[in-house]
Amino acid sequence: MTIIARKQTVPVNIGGVTMGGGAPVVVQSMTNTDTADVGQTVAQVAALARAGSELVRITVDREEAAAAVPLIRAQLDKQGVDVPLIGDFHYNGHTLLAEYGECAEALAKYRINPGNVGFKDKRDKQFSQIIEIALKHSKPVRIGVNWGSLDQELLTRLMDENAQKPNPQDAREVMHEAIVQSALLSAGRAQALGMGADNIVLSAKVSAVQDLIAVYRMLAARSDLALHLGLTEAGMGSKGIVASSAALSVLLQEGIGDTIRISLTPEPGGDRALEVKVAQELLQSMGFRAFVPLVAACPGCGRTTSTTFQELARDIQDFIRDQMPDWKRRYPGVETLNVAVMGCIVNGPGESKHADIGISLPGTGEAPAAPVFVEGKKVTTLRGPGASADFKRMVLDYIERRFGRDGLGRDGLGPDGLGQGDLGQETSRTAAE
C-alpha cells in the first residue's frame, strides 16, 4: 500500500468500525429507499454491504421511518449482515430520537446537520437534545454541514463583519469560513455537553471541487476530529465520478480524510452500489487499500479488432467482484491479486509479466497464439477456440494455489472447475480471431 503521512485524528468507533486515528479510510454509502419500507431498505442495505460498504446511512425523516429502524436492524442481523447503520436526521431528529428509543439504540451513529437542526432560540435546544440522547445511548454523531442548508444567521454575521474590513475577502472565502465555523462551533457545543472527541465526526459538504478542497484543508488545519469526505450533489454518471474523484483524491493525497462517500445520482433503475465500487476503486487506484483483484486490460486499437480480450477482461472482472464476498473468507489476501488481459503483442507480454498472472491475446495479423505469464515467467502458450476458457481455469488454479488454505479444496466451483456466474460462460470467439 502507498505510504502517505495521514492527518492524525481522534479515532471514533462506529458499531465496531474504527474511523480515524490512522485506521484505513472507511467506505460508506447511503440508501435511497423509503426507510419505512422495511423489505426494500433491508434488501438495499444488504446489497450495499455485499458490494463493500462498511457503513450505510439511512434516512430517518418521520415516525414511520423511525419505527422501521429496529425492524431493519433485526432483519439484517438475521441475515448475517452486520454493517453499522447511520441515521440521517434533519429538522425533527430530536423528536424522533426521543420518542423512538429503539431507533436510537439500533443506530450506530446519528448524522446532524447544524443548518437545519433548529432555528434561532430552538437551535441550541434541539441540538442539545440530540447530543444528550446520543450520550444516553453511547452513540457517536456526525456533525454534517452542507452549503445548501448553511446557518444563514452565521453566514450573514460573517458577511457583515467582512464588509467592515479595510480589505474584504471574496464572498466565496467568507462562505468557506462560515462552513468551517458552523462545524467547529457545533462540535464545541457537543463537547461542552459532555461528548468526547472520540464520538464526533465532522463533514463539510459542497458541490464544487475547489470549494471542497479549500474547506477541508481549513478543517484539517483547525481540528483533529475525524473527517468524512464527500462532494455533495456530484451529479450522474461520469460527471459525478470524475468530480468526486478529483476532489477526494487531492485531499486523500494530502492525508486528509478518514471516511469517504461518493454521492452519485443513480441512473433510472441503476445500481446504487456503483457509488461503493467507485469509492473502493478510488482508494485502490491510489494505493491506500486493496478490495478486489485488479484486472489490467489495454484500451484497444486498430491492432485489436477482435473483441476476445474485451470479453475475457470483462468476464474475469465481473466474476472476481461477484465472488469476493466468498473469496475473502476462503482466500485471505486475494484482493492483492493482479491479472492482465492484453490484446496484442505491442505491450501484451510486458504487461503480462508485471501481473501475477496475465495473457497476451493475438491481435490483427498476429499468429493465433496467446502466451501466459505467471509471476513474470512464461508458463505456456494457449491456442485454439478453448484458449479463453483455459486461461480462466489457470486464474482460478493460481488463486487456489497462492491464497487457498489447507482443507478448503475447491468447494463452490462447478463441475468444470470454473465456478458459478459469468466466468463459466465461454465466449463464442476464439483466441485466434
Side-chain angles (χ1 to χ4, degrees):
M1 295 293 98
T2 299
I3 300 176
I4 294 291
R6 297 274 302 282
K7 159 73 177 178
Q8 286 304 302
T9 55
V10 179
V12 180
N13 186 310
I14 304 168
V17 175
T18 300
M19 178 190 300
V25 179
V26 176
V27 172
Q28 62 178 285
S29 58
M30 185 176 184
T31 59
N32 61 357
T33 59
D34 178 0
T35 304
D37 187 326
V38 174
Q40 283 196 8
T41 303
V42 166
Q44 191 171 88
V45 171
L48 291 168
R50 283 195 300 272
S53 187
E54 295 159 307
L55 299 171
V56 176
R57 183 156 47 111
I58 59 177
T59 297
V60 187
D61 58 345
R62 63 193 194 280
E63 292 185 354
E64 292 83 358
V69 170
L71 302 177
I72 293 167
R73 179 72 273 168
Q75 288 198 23
L76 289 168
D77 291 342
K78 187 176 181 180
Q79 295 179 21
V81 180
D82 60 358
V83 64
L85 296 178
I86 300 166
D88 194 60
F89 295 98
H90 298 276
Y91 306 107
N92 60 351
H94 61 295
T95 300
L96 295 176
L97 286 168
E99 295 182 355
Y100 292 86
E102 290 185 358
C103 167
E105 183 58 35
L107 295 169
K109 185 176 73 171
Y110 312 152
R111 186 279 175 113
I112 314 169
N113 184 338
N116 58 36
V117 72
F119 302 97
K120 296 188 180 297
D121 59 328
K122 291 184 178 180
R123 179 177 57 224
D124 288 345
K125 179 182 178 182
Q126 293 176 183
F127 179 86
S128 297
Q129 287 176 321
I130 297 177
I131 296 300
E132 288 166 359
I133 293 170
L135 289 169
K136 175 184 175 182
H137 292 278
S138 300
K139 305 294 183 179
V141 299
R142 169 159 73 96
I143 296 173
V145 181
N146 189 301
W147 79 317
S149 53
L150 185 59
D151 183 342
Q152 292 302 301
E153 186 178 341
L154 173 62
L155 179 60
T156 299
R157 177 172 62 80
L158 291 179
M159 286 290 188
D160 289 342
E161 291 175 358
N162 182 63
Q164 302 304 315
K165 293 180 179 180
N167 297 299
Q169 293 178 297
D170 180 86
R172 177 163 291 195
E173 293 177 305
V174 179
M175 182 192 70
H176 294 170
E177 179 64 24
I179 292 171
V180 172
Q181 281 200 28
S182 179
L184 295 179
L185 289 170
S186 296
R189 291 192 192 107
Q191 290 176 299
L193 291 167
M195 178 160 283
D198 60 344
N199 275 316
I200 300 175
V201 178
L202 298 182
S203 69
K205 299 289 192 72
V206 297
S207 60
V209 170
Q210 296 298 338
D211 288 333
L212 190 84
I213 293 170
V215 166
Y216 273 96
R217 282 174 173 164
M218 294 168 66
L219 267 180
R222 291 158 63 173
S223 171
D224 62 357
L225 295 174
L227 296 178
H228 167 118
L229 300 188
L231 189 75
T232 192
E233 292 103 32
M236 182 180 289
S238 61
K239 188 269 181 186
I241 292 172
V242 171
S244 291
S245 299
L248 271 56
S249 61
V250 170
L251 293 166
L252 290 167
Q253 188 68 18
E254 295 179 4
I256 298 172
D258 302 294
T259 181
I260 64 172
R261 183 197 171 200
I262 305 294
S263 300
L264 296 179
T265 303
E267 300 283 350
D271 183 7
R272 186 67 169 182
L274 176 61
E275 65 178 46
V276 179
K277 297 173 184 176
V278 173
Q280 289 183 328
E281 289 170 4
L282 174 61
L283 292 173
Q284 187 153 347
S285 296
M286 296 187 71
F288 296 139
R289 294 189 64 182
F291 296 96
V292 296
L294 293 174
V295 180
C298 65
C301 66
R303 293 175 177 270
T304 55
T305 53
S306 167
T307 61
T308 301
F309 81 98
Q310 297 168 328
E311 293 164 352
L312 183 56
R314 180 200 60 202
D315 288 350
I316 290 179
Q317 186 163 277
D318 290 349
F319 179 70
I320 284 173
R321 186 170 284 279
D322 290 343
Q323 294 299 311
M324 276 306 293
D326 178 56
W327 283 1
K328 285 180 180 178
R329 174 182 60 85
R330 295 177 56 198
Y331 303 119
V334 71
E335 64 273 8
T336 63
L337 176 70
N338 287 294
V339 180
V341 180
M342 306 303 293
C344 78
I345 199 171
V346 174
N347 293 314
E351 288 280 358
S352 297
K353 287 178 183 178
H354 289 300
D356 293 313
I357 180 169
I359 186 170
S360 179
L361 295 166
T364 302
E366 295 175 17
V372 176
F373 299 83
V374 175
E375 297 179 354
K377 298 179 180 179
K378 181 179 175 181
V379 295
T380 190
T381 298
L382 302 178
R383 293 181 173 84
S388 294
D390 290 341
F391 180 67
K392 295 171 189 176
R393 291 189 180 91
M394 292 183 70
V395 171
L396 287 168
D397 286 342
Y398 179 80
I399 290 172
E400 177 66 34
R401 289 196 309 272
R402 178 175 170 184
F403 302 103
R405 293 179 291 189
D406 291 342
L408 284 179
R410 300 189 66 181
D411 56 301
L413 300 184
D416 58 358
L418 292 182
Q420 308 303 314
D422 291 341
L423 194 58
Q425 299 174 2
E426 171 55 22
T427 61
S428 61
R429 298 181 181 272
T430 73
E433 285 186 286

